[in-house]
Amino acid sequence: MHPVATSIFTLPDHLAAKADPQLIARDEQHLRAVVTALQDYISELTARLDAARKAPGGAGQAALDRDQDIHRLTGRLRVLRRFNSDLCLGRMVAGDSDADDAAEPTYIGRLGLTDRYSQRLLVDWRAPAAEPFFAATHANPMGLISRRRYRWTSGHITDFWDEVFTPEGLEGNAALDDQSAFIASLGGSRSEAMRDVLGTIQADQDAIIRAGSRGALVVDGGPGTGKTVVALHRTAHLLYSDAQVSEHRGGVLFVGPHRPYLAYVADVLPNLGEDSVRTCTLNDLLPEGLAAAEEADPEVARLKFSAEMVNAIGPAVALYEKPPTEGMEIDTPWGEVWLSSFDWAEAFSAPDPGTPHNEARGLIWESVVEILTDKVRDLGEDASDVGVDLNEDVDGEFNAYGLTREDSAAPFRRAISQNPELKRTFGRAWPLLHATDLVGDLWEVPAYLRMCAPWLEPRQIQLLRRADPRAWTTADLPLLDAARQRLGDPDTTLRAERRRAAEEAESTRMADVVDQLIESDDSDMRVMRMLRGQDLQQALVEHAAPAEINQDALAGPFAHIVVDEAQELTEAQWQMLLRRCPSRSFTIVGDRAQARHGFTETWEQRLERVGFDRVTHSTLTINYRTPREVMVEAEPVIRAAIPDANVPISVRSSGVPVKHGVAADLEEILDQWEVGHDDGVACVIGAPHFTPRDRVQSLLPALAKGLEFDLVVLLDPERSGGGVAEAVDRYVAMTRTTQELVLLERP
């Protein structure tokens, strides 16, 4: 290929007509201005970032503001430096018969951009003004007379398409293709990362992308209908346009089906101008998920994944929240006080319902100390031996400086808090618990499981028992997650207890200092006595207390959650996500026909059953990816198992028929494909022992979901037990291709 080139347009020989300066000169000039403005903006932000880093750190709110400013500038620069002239997606021309400049184009960008003279060069693709660029159709042109879309390759425009909606739009447009730009772009070779398709979003997809965030929006569609494209672009659009989904309100969590999928889509959101979205799989939500294996026994998986099993966590925790039934005598420097079973029960009722177990521990301890402090105060004259009057007539010079009964009780609270017998008894009655210990005990101690899940049959209890209770599987994760929520973070509780102990130690030290200052004060006003005020002492102690840091970035709460391949989630897994999004604002993407374990309900029935209260539903029915030749063979595979499957209509034809062969042909088939294709990627599915090549991956069907390849070679597609899972696996594997499919049988 001998390209006809300018600095931005690099068009192959067969598109030489499109390189006519009359067609591209205006774009060339405008895109040069975009590059200049972009570099100016990057330089400005870089200077601001350097200045922020050199500025004094400060303290308190000033330090926080400085750090947030550095974080914001760094993130913005990281996004901007990804682009050059390819920041622009295309242009549109609105018609106005009464205006002299009716043909002046509006350029649409991944981000909005103005030059140094405040002239708008690019309109952000998410802005309402950009909507016609994506949503206009010949039936509803939305005021446009023409639209031009670019295909970018390595920073250069290698093709562009003009769509004309009125006769006026014919002027200056040459690339009037019969097929849409979206279909044409999908005809190109795949890469290991998802192709940038922002400029070719279709009207039905754009309507879903721009829908509001309230409630749950289901995007249902078969293979190749653009579900993932819609989900990713909708994520970026919500962050830009919806104040309820902004980062400072929790931001967005994007949940994908597996790691290869996340790698495949990793560049899409940054290319859309957003790098604040957290992406993960369900396993990533918990530290134990990183090494969790699949549950080998289907019945064990079914039991653990049920919502009923998650309900066992509440009773399991409640067994560790029983107040002592016997009283105890507590020794203090002012005498013995009696802590009755009634007192214990009163203290254990102090936390509000729903307070996590480990967090409630501190509240209960404070209640115990308060009860005992009141009892010590009632000792009256015995307590006065330490030089502090605890009687009802606390006034005189102490009261003149704002001293209260609470202030005078500080020495007694410290003494009670250090009583070892009391701490041991409290620790046994309300222990600090870890989720891994709690769930592990369920699988290790049958009697414990029987008490917490009385609905289980004896056979099921034995089935759930295992030698290594902490050999975690994916089916354990929902229970571990529920236990973490019910218990709270024990490490945070420990840190809080250590901080409280440090504050008490500092209070003791401060009290000694205050006593010395008061003793040495010979002023007429005796102003040093004001230091006995609790507010002054507490302010000094709190100034040195370390701030809490939330180290679990995936714990939420999030303002919005996007779930791809959502048809596979169990009830217990849905609960994991609902805990992280109290607003229940979700984008749910999936295909009932691709559920390996069957999906006989409607989306509305499934989601309402797991806890959603507002569900809307959109359906995509056009397959832009999979050639018709492939769908002709794939449709009967899924219909045999799921007669009402939503099989989309394919609008593309590759001209390459599906090929059949035997497993021994695999290497030869791949050799021939590599020789005949300088770019693109292939995948061998169903051959776990195949050694991958540079442009040839090897995956099992479950890990191929959400991905696409130029060539798919599927081994042994006919050998099957006839179940839904086998049919879904074959259907998913067959529909991953954008060009060629080869089916190989084993001997």
Side-chain angles (χ1 to χ4, degrees), residues 665-676:
D665 300 334
L666 175 59
E667 298 293 341
E668 181 181 355
I669 290 169
L670 295 175
D671 290 342
Q672 292 177 353
W673 179 81
E674 287 180 325
V675 170

Side-chain angles (χ1 to χ4, degrees), residues 669-712:
I669 290 169
L670 295 175
D671 290 342
Q672 292 177 353
W673 179 81
E674 287 180 325
V675 170
H677 298 78
D678 295 332
D679 56 5
V681 291
C683 186
V684 177
I685 301 179
H689 301 297
F690 170 76
T691 302
R693 306 183 183 185
D694 287 343
R695 291 190 291 129
V696 182
Q697 299 184 36
S698 176
L699 294 173
L700 296 175
L703 293 181
K705 280 190 174 181
L707 308 181
E708 56 187 37
F709 308 92
D710 298 285
L711 167 69
V712 168

Side-chain angles (χ1 to χ4, degrees), residues 22 104 234 241 260 381 384 491 494 544 555 573 577 703 723 726 732:
Q22 293 185 353
E104 188 69 26
R234 175 168 164 76
S241 64
E381 59 188 37
S384 66
D491 294 332
L494 281 173
Q573 289 172 324
L577 298 179
L703 293 181
E726 291 83 357
V732 169

Side-chain angles (χ1 to χ4, degrees), residues 11-60:
L11 303 172
D13 287 344
H14 71 279
L15 298 178
K18 291 185 177 183
D20 186 336
Q22 293 185 353
L23 299 176
I24 64 174
R26 170 181 268 178
D27 287 0
E28 180 83 23
Q29 180 181 6
H30 193 88
L31 293 175
R32 287 179 186 277
V34 166
V35 173
T36 299
L38 178 61
Q39 295 306 317
D40 288 346
Y41 189 29
I42 289 175
S43 297
E44 176 192 340
L45 291 183
T46 301
R48 287 167 56 187
L49 178 60
D50 291 342
R53 285 173 170 165
K54 293 175 182 177

Side-chain angles (χ1 to χ4, degrees), residues 569-600:
L569 269 62
T570 66
E571 293 182 31
Q573 289 172 324
W574 276 117
Q575 294 303 320
M576 294 174 69
L577 298 179
L578 285 169
R579 292 185 196 107
R580 288 165 170 79
C581 188
S583 67
R584 282 162 165 65
S585 175
F586 277 71
T587 298
I588 296 167
V589 183
D591 178 14
R592 293 169 58 246
Q594 295 185 55
R596 295 188 75 251
H597 302 291
F599 198 127
T600 57

Side-chain angles (χ1 to χ4, degrees), residues 204-255:
D204 56 344
Q205 298 170 329
D206 186 67
I208 297 172
I209 290 169
R210 295 176 186 272
S213 64
R214 185 181 176 190
L217 172 63
V218 176
V219 183
D220 180 87
T225 54
K227 300 186 299 297
T228 299
V229 169
V230 167
L232 291 164
H233 289 72
R234 175 168 164 76
T235 299
H237 187 269
L238 287 174
L239 282 167
Y240 173 85
S241 64
D242 195 321
Q244 299 303 314
V245 182
S246 60
E247 188 175 1
H248 74 278
R249 289 182 176 268
V252 177
L253 176 68
F254 192 103
V255 182

